[in-house]
Amino acid sequence: ALAPRCGWVVPGLQQRLAVPAAVSPATGRPYAAAAAKAAKKDAKRSRQEKAKEAAKEKPLPRRRPLMSKPVDDVYLTWLYRRPSYGLEQAVGMLKRFQELDFTHPKQFVYINVFLDMALQKKKKVDPFSSGVALPHRFTDEVNKVLVFTENDQEAEVAREHGAAIAGGVELIKWILEDEIQADFYVAVPAIIPRLIPLRNKLKKKYPSTKRNSLGNDIPRMVQFFRECHEYSVENESVIKTRIARLDMPTEHIIANLKTIIQDICTFKPSNFDPIVQRLVIRSSTSEGLLLNLDGILPQVEKAEEKEEEDAADEDQQKPVQESVST
């Protein structure tokens, strides 16, 4: 009795059945979504390219030229060129800073050397380390020197002159296992062929004639490396090292600095730009002072120019002498 009669139609149902079901674009045309996504990416890319072109066409903001010297005691440092000082003037300023700040008078003096390692084309000077004998020692510290020799008499001579360790191939095992370490390693030529297992271990400290750590004059090598000052290149183009104590006479500080700079300049041929580009000096508690390089770098170029001038003068004098002889 509750069953609907045949032929009954619920109002509105006939209209809904008459309308075909909507088909989503993704299911109806799978490539349409990908095309829409690609078009969106192209539009975004074109907007980015237009923004870049507009940025290129826009003129750069005009920067104010840096002023040469501030007028007041307090000023914005980025508006002025960093002042540079003569070497003697800078050392005097460091001594004055120490007096005004009441800091320790025997603090160390440091230099930061910024290098130009570029050579021709894409070649560069390899980072290096070196030892140099300073004219004025500023510390009582001595380096630990190890001497390689198979001769018992040479080993005894090495110990008498201050070598910490002296011996032959029996030391190789202990060095490879880090049981023995030294600041410098020197050797006589006769034992070098037997030290090849240490080449990769010692690397730049491996005895060689280039570093003056290979030879027969054991007393001279031991004395030099016990007292020499070692420095090395950091971050591929910077040398940071101490050179003196602040309480030393000014001329002693200057002599030590020039000795180190001259040794650094030997690592790049003189026909290229100077290897030292900037030089900053400071003490343990003071600010860094930029140094004027005039008078500090070796005068190689001037010597070459003088030789060329002398050669030109000789060429000019030759025709005169020839005319007089005729």
Side-chain angles (χ1 to χ4, degrees):
L2 297 177
R5 293 183 182 181
C6 295
W8 280 17
V9 179
V10 179
L13 179 60
Q14 186 176 2
Q15 296 178 0
R16 288 197 296 270
L17 293 176
V19 177
V23 181
S24 64
T27 55
R29 292 183 294 174
Y31 60 85
K37 190 174 182 180
K40 189 175 181 180
K41 284 186 177 180
D42 293 340
K44 184 177 180 180
R45 190 180 297 110
S46 62
R47 288 197 301 269
Q48 291 177 350
E49 292 176 355
K50 289 180 181 179
K52 289 181 181 179
E53 292 177 358
K56 290 181 180 179
E57 294 176 357
K58 185 178 180 180
L60 296 174
R62 186 177 179 182
R63 291 190 62 183
R64 293 179 58 186
L66 293 177
M67 303 177 187
S68 59
K69 188 176 181 180
V71 179
D72 300 323
D73 294 336
V74 180
Y75 57 91
L76 300 175
T77 56
W78 58 83
L79 293 180
Y80 299 88
R81 296 187 183 92
R82 184 175 183 180
S84 62
Y85 304 94
L87 184 51
E88 187 173 352
Q89 180 187 7
V91 174
M93 292 174 66
L94 294 181
K95 291 178 176 289
R96 183 60 178 162
F97 293 159
Q98 180 271 321
E99 295 175 359
L100 295 174
D101 297 337
F102 297 98
T103 54
H104 198 275
K106 292 187 177 181
Q107 59 186 289
F108 289 117
V109 178
Y110 298 83
I111 57 172
N112 294 352
V113 190
F114 300 88
L115 307 177
D116 177 13
M117 309 285 276
L119 294 173
Q120 58 184 359
K121 297 182 180 178
K122 295 184 179 180
K123 295 182 179 180
K124 292 184 178 181
V125 178
D126 295 329
F128 55 87
S129 61
S130 178
V132 59
L134 298 178
H136 306 284
R137 285 179 53 81
F138 59 91
T139 178
D140 295 331
E141 300 174 1
V142 292
N143 301 313
K144 186 177 180 180
V145 182
L146 185 149
V147 178
F148 288 108
T149 178
E150 292 285 350
N151 189 307
D152 294 338
Q153 294 181 352
E154 292 178 343
E156 187 62 28
V157 170
R159 295 189 191 97
E160 290 176 356
H161 285 81
I165 303 170
V169 294
E170 70 276 3
L171 301 176
I172 296 177
K173 176 183 177 182
W174 303 108
I175 295 173
L176 291 175
E177 295 178 355
D178 293 328
E179 295 292 335
I180 295 178
Q181 294 181 350
D183 298 315
F184 294 97
Y185 301 83
V186 301
V188 295
I191 199 175
I192 276 293
R194 307 183 67 181
L195 299 181
I196 293 182
L198 293 175
R199 184 181 292 274
N200 292 332
K201 177 69 175 179
L202 300 183
K203 297 180 181 179
K204 293 182 180 180
K205 292 186 177 183
Y206 189 79
S208 66
T209 54
K210 186 177 181 180
R211 291 177 53 87
N212 298 320
S213 57
L214 178 62
N216 292 309
D217 193 348
I218 294 178
R220 182 190 62 80
M221 292 190 297
V222 172
Q223 182 179 1
F224 172 78
F225 286 107
R226 284 185 79 245
E227 300 179 355
C228 77
H229 176 73
E230 187 180 22
Y231 65 87
S232 60
V233 177
E234 304 174 9
N235 300 324
E236 298 186 351
S237 63
V238 181
I239 295 174
K240 299 179 181 180
T241 184
R242 58 186 185 179
I243 61 170
R245 285 195 326 269
L246 194 57
D247 64 331
M248 293 172 59
T250 300
E251 56 270 18
H252 290 184
I253 299 175
I254 293 175
N256 283 358
L257 183 146
K258 288 186 175 181
T259 300
I260 294 176
I261 295 300
Q262 289 176 0
D263 188 70
I264 293 173
C265 291
T266 60
F267 287 89
K268 187 175 182 180
S270 58
N271 55 336
F272 291 96
D273 293 334
I275 190 171
V276 178
Q277 291 296 298
R278 286 194 301 136
L279 179 59
V280 176
I281 188 171
R282 65 176 180 85
S283 67
S284 300
T285 59
S286 74
E287 62 177 292
L289 302 176
L290 182 65
L291 292 177
N292 189 341
L293 296 178
D294 294 339
I296 298 179
L297 300 182
Q299 303 297 323
V300 178
E301 296 180 358
K302 291 185 178 180
E304 293 178 353
E305 291 176 359
K306 186 176 181 181
E307 292 178 359
E308 292 177 357
E309 291 177 358
D310 294 341
D313 293 339
E314 290 178 0
D315 294 338
Q316 292 178 358
Q317 291 176 2
K318 283 182 180 179
V320 177
Q321 292 176 356
E322 291 176 357
S323 62
V324 172
S325 60
T326 52

